[in-house]
């Protein structure tokens, strides 16, 4: 016989209640999934319109992905209403009734993330429902009547989630989002939003869930897709499952290095050259360079059917000015060519008219003389009418002539010689290799800086070259416009360098150079941008130490700042180490406030250089044993990574830069002094120490 306390009985009853409701929701989800599948399978291809079929397919995907977290929350209103909150919205069979489940992104669900005892927003109780698939495993009730005061939403559910073992893949956090996170997720997308957040504050979680919220709230964004920019391929792999799990597929994930299709980074570059090429001064310099590539305005002589036709210099000047107004190089060239074809067609038509007019005039003279000799002297003269011909070509004939001119290889060769098509890579290399041209177009570069740029002009592309190449490609434009395709929007966007996105999300945004920011703006001229990062974790070659320094050169002052101030991931024991490190990094920011403790004090050992690999191997073995089922990561200076990788095949070994944005249950930092000796090394050590959720170890070298 089991005796349960009143509290245990209440919890068991609540779990049973939520299980019954979840069973109903699962049955309804399965019913909807079957109905959607039947509609898609039974309809003939031409029976459903393209938009209707796409909508049904999207709904089917959303319903199919809602296996976990179908219901994860409940709100009990002061007015007696009860709403369940879940991964997707589920309508009841009676369409006039309240929804069976409210989508977490819907306005009605917002109090689940923002209501507090001080501001209950009409709610009496918030319940977090923990599930494993379709089984309810626990509930956490949070009265909103002031009897339980905390600054965390669903503290029990949150801390339970944070204490779970890491799997090496980020998961969704829709059931445990916090008030300040939700405020950023649901913020208006009318301009650049720059979010400062220290380690463990959930910057990436916020950024990705904001994508899902925006695509749900602004459906037109799905027609343009959303671009998610991350700092590294490892990071993109880490977050790869989040948005699909939230039902979003109109998303392109990339790094700045992979934004140009067909172009790959093949060379590492020293920090000084990288910093020089990242400056905003390159944008006006490149614009001036491409303007200088335009052909000179002068008279043009073209040949057609063996005759020469002259387009006067003033006409060429006017057409050139009109064609280049606000257009990239190749588009302007195409517009000019179209107008030149028309000008030549008109000139041919005018000459034909003139020739026929001359012939008619001569014929009339001959006929007039003949008539005067043949008529009796007394007979009066009369006008000749039988041979009048005006010589005018019809509109259709001129259009046919223009089409023949447009398709003529000789005319095409003439235009190509005078206004050549240009390939972005060769065009950029010509500039980077011409010291005199660089000094003229980028006068703010010193002689030494120009020499550094020129010295690597013919080498394979480095990361810092990609934004310059992107700018050149944009200024030149497409020589041949891409053909539209019927593939998914994300696939089309991924294949087109010049795609314009509905929104751009940037993670680790503090690493972007000014020229990389220009890359972002080209892809989102509406400036609907969310950038998250920690300026204190910046390790890039640029010299920015504040967000204003980082973005004002491209965004001006037209951006909004927000902050995440609470650290959920990194335990207090580790965050206590970061204050002195931030001081040495030159930071003026306050570290985020940690809200959880792991109960494990950080540890450190000093070993002889010859013992380092053995000590690292033993330390990792111990961490793997203690955190079985979780993850362990090793962070070291760049010069030690290869040796450690060879010895530690069971765990990732990364530099601080490569580890940015990642997390493990336990982290081993090898040779912290070596990390601080690297450029921006104290910032790097700050990154390295804050990757763990439970245990931190350090191995220093004597």
């Amino acid at each position: 016989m089991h005796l349960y306390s009143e509290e245990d009985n209440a919890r068991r009853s609540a779990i049973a209640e939520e299980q019954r409701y979840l069973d109903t929701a699962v049955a309804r989800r399965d019913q909807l999934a079957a109905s959607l599948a039947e509609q898609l399978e039974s309809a003939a291809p031409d029976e459903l319109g393209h938009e209707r079929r796409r909508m049904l397919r999207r709904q089917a995907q959303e319903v199919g992905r809602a296996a976990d977290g179908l219901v994860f929350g409940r709100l009990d209103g002061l007015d007696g209403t009860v709403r369940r909150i879940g991964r997707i919205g589920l309508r009841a069979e009676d369409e006039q009734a309240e929804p069976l489940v409210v989508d977490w992104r819907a306005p009605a669900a917002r109090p689940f993330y923002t209501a507090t005892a001080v501001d209950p927003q009409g709610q009496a109780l918030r319940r977090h429902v923990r599930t494993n698939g379709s089984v309810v495993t626990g509930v956490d009730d949070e009265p909103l009547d002031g009897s339980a005061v905390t600054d965390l939403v669903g503290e029990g559910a949150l801390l339970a989630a944070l204490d779970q073992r890491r799997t090496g893949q980020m998961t969704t956090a829709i059931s445990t989002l916090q008030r300040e996170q939700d405020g950023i997720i649901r913020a208006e997308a009318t301009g650049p939003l720059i979010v400062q957040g220290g380690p463990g504050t959930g910057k990436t979680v916020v950024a990705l869930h904001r994508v899902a919220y925006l695509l749900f709230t602004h459906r037109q964004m799905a027609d343009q897709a959303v671009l998610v920019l991350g700092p590294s391929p490892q990071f993109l792999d880490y977050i790869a499952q989040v948005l699909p799990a939230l039902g979003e597929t109109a998303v392109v994930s990339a790094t700045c290095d992979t934004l140009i299709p067909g172009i790959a980074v093949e060379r590492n570059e020293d920090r000084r050259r990288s910093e020089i090429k990242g400056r905003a001064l390159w944008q006006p310099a490149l614009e001036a360079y491409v303007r200088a590539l335009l052909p000179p305005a002068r008279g043009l002589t073209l040949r057609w059917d063996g005759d020469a036709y002259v387009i006067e210099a003033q006409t060429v000047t006017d057409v050139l000015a009109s064609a280049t107004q606000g257009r990239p190089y190749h588009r302007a060239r195409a517009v000019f060519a179209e107008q030149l074809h028309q000008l030549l067609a008109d000139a041919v038509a005018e000459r034909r008219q003139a020739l026929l007019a001359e012939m008619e005039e001569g014929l009339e003279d001959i006929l007039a003389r003949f008539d005067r000799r043949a008529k009796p002297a007394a007979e009066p003269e009369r006008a000749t009418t039988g041979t009048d011909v005006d010589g005018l070509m019809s509109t259709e004939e001129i259009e046919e002539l223009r089409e023949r001119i447009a398709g003529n290889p000789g005319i095409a060769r003439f235009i190509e010689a005078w206004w050549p098509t240009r390939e972005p890579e060769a065009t950029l290399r010509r500039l980077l290799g011409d010291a005199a041209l660089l000094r003229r177009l980028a006068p703010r570069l010193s002689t030494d800086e120009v020499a550094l740029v020129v010295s690597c002009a013919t080498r394979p592309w480095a990361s810092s070259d990609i934004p310059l190449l992107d700018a050149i490609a944009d200024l030149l434009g497409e020589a041949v416009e891409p053909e539209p395709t019927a593939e998914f929007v994300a696939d089309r966007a991924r294949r087109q360098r010049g795609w314009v996105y509905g929104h751009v999300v940037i993670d680790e945004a503090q690493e972007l150079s000014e020229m990389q920011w220009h890359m972002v703006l080209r892809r989102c001229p509406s400036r609907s941008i969310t950038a998250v990062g920690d300026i204190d974790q910046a390790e890039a070659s640029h010299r920015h130490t504040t967000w204003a320094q980082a973005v004002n050169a491209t965004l001006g002052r037209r951006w909004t700042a927000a902050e995440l101030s609470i650290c959920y991931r990194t335990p207090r024991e580790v965050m206590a180490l970061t204050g002195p490190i931030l001081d040495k990094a030159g930071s003026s920011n306050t570290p985020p406030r940690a809200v959880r403790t792991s109960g494990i004090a950080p540890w450190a050992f000093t070993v002889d250089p010859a013992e380092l690999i053995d000590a690292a191997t033993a330390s990792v073995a111990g961490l793997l044993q203690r955190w079985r089922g979780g993850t362990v990561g090793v962070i070291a200076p760049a010069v030690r990574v290869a040796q450690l990788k060879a010895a530690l095949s069971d765990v990732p070994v990364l530099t601080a830069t490569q580890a940015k944005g990642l997390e493990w249950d336990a982290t081993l930092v090898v040779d912290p002094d070596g990390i601080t000796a690297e450029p921006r090394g104290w910032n790097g050590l700050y990154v390295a120490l804050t990757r763990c959720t439970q245990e931190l170890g350090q191995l220093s070298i004597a």
Side-chain angles (χ1 to χ4, degrees):
M1 178 178 179
H2 297 283
L3 297 176
Y4 297 101
S5 67
E6 185 176 340
E7 181 179 348
D8 287 338
N9 285 329
R11 185 173 296 275
R12 289 162 62 86
S13 176
I15 290 174
E17 178 187 12
E18 298 306 329
Q19 184 65 63
R20 288 191 295 273
Y21 201 92
L22 180 59
D23 291 342
T24 301
V26 168
R28 178 61 176 153
R29 181 202 64 195
D30 293 346
Q31 182 185 34
L32 287 172
S35 174
L36 290 166
E38 183 180 357
Q39 291 180 65
L40 285 167
E41 291 172 7
S42 61
D46 57 348
E47 196 173 323
L48 291 174
H50 175 69
E51 286 300 315
R52 173 66 174 164
R53 183 175 293 278
R54 190 175 71 165
M55 183 187 72
L56 289 174
R57 190 181 293 115
R58 176 186 172 87
Q59 290 175 346
Q61 289 172 340
E62 287 182 347
V63 171
R65 288 191 177 100
D68 290 320
L70 182 61
V71 178
F72 58 74
R74 167 174 158 169
L75 282 171
D76 290 15
L78 291 169
D79 59 359
T81 59
V82 177
R83 291 190 177 96
R84 261 63 175 206
I85 314 300
R87 184 181 298 275
I88 62 170
L90 282 180
R91 63 181 185 274
E93 290 192 59
D94 178 3
E95 296 197 0
Q96 303 302 315
E98 285 288 315
L100 194 63
V101 182
V102 175
D103 191 295
W104 70 275
R105 298 162 288 192
R110 188 164 194 188
F112 184 78
Y113 301 104
T114 59
T116 65
V118 176
D119 178 24
Q121 300 173 25
Q123 308 304 315
L125 177 77
R126 172 171 42 228
R127 170 176 288 175
H128 281 80
V129 181
R130 299 198 300 276
T131 61
N132 183 5
S134 58
V135 176
V136 177
T137 59
V139 296
D140 294 287
D141 284 346
E142 187 180 356
L144 297 171
D145 57 4
S147 60
V149 180
T150 175
D151 58 0
L152 298 179
V153 172
E155 183 174 11
L158 172 65
L159 296 181
L162 292 172
D163 281 337
Q164 289 179 351
R165 293 288 193 269
R166 266 45 192 175
T167 65
Q169 287 275 309
M170 178 174 278
T171 57
T172 64
I174 49 177
S175 63
T176 56
L177 291 171
Q178 297 298 293
R179 184 186 179 96
E180 71 172 6
Q181 295 175 327
D182 183 79
I184 292 170
I185 288 169
R186 297 176 195 259
E188 290 295 320
T190 53
L193 177 65
I194 310 294
V195 182
Q196 163 64 28
T201 53
K203 299 184 293 296
T204 302
V205 164
V206 165
L208 297 178
H209 287 69
R210 178 162 168 76
V211 172
Y213 170 76
L214 291 175
L215 286 170
F216 175 84
T217 308
H218 306 285
R219 289 297 188 185
Q220 70 276 11
M221 278 189 185
D223 296 331
Q224 294 177 273
V226 172
L227 173 63
V228 175
L229 281 179
S232 66
Q234 295 97 326
F235 175 84
L236 295 180
D237 289 343
Y238 175 58
I239 67 170
Q241 301 305 314
V242 177
L243 287 168
L246 293 172
E248 302 302 344
T249 58
V251 179
V252 174
S253 297
T255 68
C256 286
D257 288 350
T258 62
L259 276 178
I260 306 180
I263 300 296
V265 171
E266 299 177 8
R267 175 174 64 90
N268 292 323
E269 190 166 58
D270 64 86
R271 292 177 67 85
R272 190 174 178 206
R273 284 186 177 88
S274 177
E275 187 276 324
I276 292 168
K277 292 181 184 177
R279 298 177 195 171
L281 63 85
W282 284 93
Q283 187 63 33
L286 293 169
E287 291 170 3
Y289 174 46
V290 173
R291 281 197 303 272
L293 298 176
L294 294 172
R298 58 175 176 82
L300 300 178
T301 301
L302 298 93
R303 302 196 68 82
W304 184 255
D305 283 346
D307 294 325
Y309 295 85
V310 176
I311 310 297
E312 298 295 335
Q314 186 57 54
T315 301
V316 173
T317 299
D318 294 342
V319 173
L320 192 60
S322 172
T324 56
Q325 189 66 39
R327 294 185 179 93
Y329 178 95
H330 286 125
R331 181 59 192 144
R333 179 185 184 275
V335 170
F336 182 90
E338 290 171 3
Q339 296 190 43
L340 189 63
H341 297 153
Q342 188 64 56
L343 287 170
L344 180 56
D346 291 341
V348 172
E350 288 173 8
R351 182 171 295 183
R352 176 177 175 179
Q353 179 185 351
L355 289 172
L356 288 174
E358 290 177 8
M359 291 173 62
E360 180 182 355
E361 185 178 341
L363 181 59
E364 287 177 348
D365 289 343
I366 294 170
L367 290 174
R369 289 194 298 270
F370 176 80
D371 286 344
R372 281 194 297 271
R373 288 195 299 269
K375 285 184 294 186
E379 188 176 341
E381 290 189 11
R382 58 184 178 81
T384 301
T385 60
T387 59
D388 287 345
V389 180
D390 61 14
L392 290 176
M393 295 177 66
S394 69
T395 302
E396 292 77 10
E397 288 174 323
I398 294 176
E399 176 59 23
E400 182 183 351
L401 173 61
R402 189 202 62 78
E403 290 178 358
R404 286 195 292 121
I405 290 171
N408 183 270
I411 298 296
R413 286 192 296 271
F414 176 89
I415 295 173
E416 178 65 27
W418 183 67
W419 191 333
T421 54
R422 297 184 185 274
E423 193 275 326
E425 293 185 71
T427 304
L428 178 60
R429 289 196 188 280
R430 175 174 171 260
L431 172 64
L432 297 182
D434 190 328
L437 194 56
L438 283 172
R439 284 193 293 269
R440 178 164 62 84
L441 297 177
R444 284 184 286 168
L445 292 178
S446 70
T447 301
D448 288 346
E449 290 170 340
V450 168
L452 284 172
V453 171
V454 171
S455 67
C456 61
T458 60
R459 299 178 189 174
W461 297 123
S463 180
S464 60
D465 292 315
I466 302 301
L468 306 184
L469 185 58
D470 187 66
I472 284 286
D474 185 69
L475 292 165
L476 291 177
E478 299 288 346
V480 179
E481 293 296 324
E483 291 290 331
T485 62
E487 60 192 337
F488 290 113
V489 63
D491 296 323
R492 295 202 306 273
R494 195 175 289 111
R495 290 173 50 187
Q496 296 183 29
R497 187 210 59 80
W499 187 270
V500 173
Y501 291 88
H503 193 79
V504 177
V505 167
I506 311 165
D507 206 314
E508 303 294 346
Q510 74 279 355
E511 303 299 340
L512 267 61
S513 70
E514 291 166 343
M515 286 305 294
Q516 286 173 326
W517 273 104
H518 275 296
M519 290 182 78
V520 173
L521 290 180
R522 278 190 284 276
R523 285 157 177 80
C524 192
S526 69
R527 298 188 169 215
S528 181
I529 299 166
T530 302
V532 302
D534 181 5
I535 203 69
D536 291 325
Q537 294 186 53
E539 294 181 85
S541 59
H542 59 65
R543 300 163 185 166
H544 308 139
T545 58
T546 68
W547 282 111
Q549 291 173 352
V551 303
N552 280 1
T554 47
L555 302 182
R557 290 182 169 81
R558 292 176 294 171
W559 53 278
T560 303
E563 184 175 6
L564 294 167
S565 61
I566 301 173
C567 174
Y568 307 101
R569 176 189 69 213
T570 313
R572 290 192 191 113
E573 294 88 344
V574 173
M575 288 305 297
L577 303 176
T578 61
I581 292 169
L582 284 178
D583 289 341
K584 291 177 180 177
S587 170
S588 58
N589 295 321
T590 301
R593 176 172 59 89
V595 295
R596 56 184 286 273
T597 178
S598 67
I600 304 170
W603 50 266
F605 294 111
T606 301
V607 299
D608 291 331
E611 300 172 350
L612 179 64
I613 297 301
D614 289 342
T617 302
S619 297
V620 166
L623 293 172
L624 288 171
Q625 177 66 30
R626 290 193 290 279
W627 299 104
R628 184 171 296 172
T631 58
V632 174
V634 176
I635 303 176
V639 295
R640 298 194 183 277
V641 166
Q643 185 183 18
L644 287 166
K645 275 186 175 180
L648 305 171
S649 58
D650 295 335
V651 295
V653 180
L654 305 172
T655 65
T657 300
Q658 293 167 337
K660 202 178 294 288
L662 305 181
E663 64 178 30
W664 301 283
D665 293 281
T667 305
L668 178 67
V669 179
V670 177
D671 190 10
D673 291 339
I675 294 176
T676 62
E678 296 178 326
R680 285 203 173 188
W682 290 105
N683 301 83
L685 185 59
Y686 181 54
V687 172
L689 297 183
T690 54
R691 298 304 95 198
C692 71
T693 64
Q694 303 291 347
E695 183 176 354
L696 170 68
Q698 298 184 69
L699 286 181
S700 298
I701 299 175

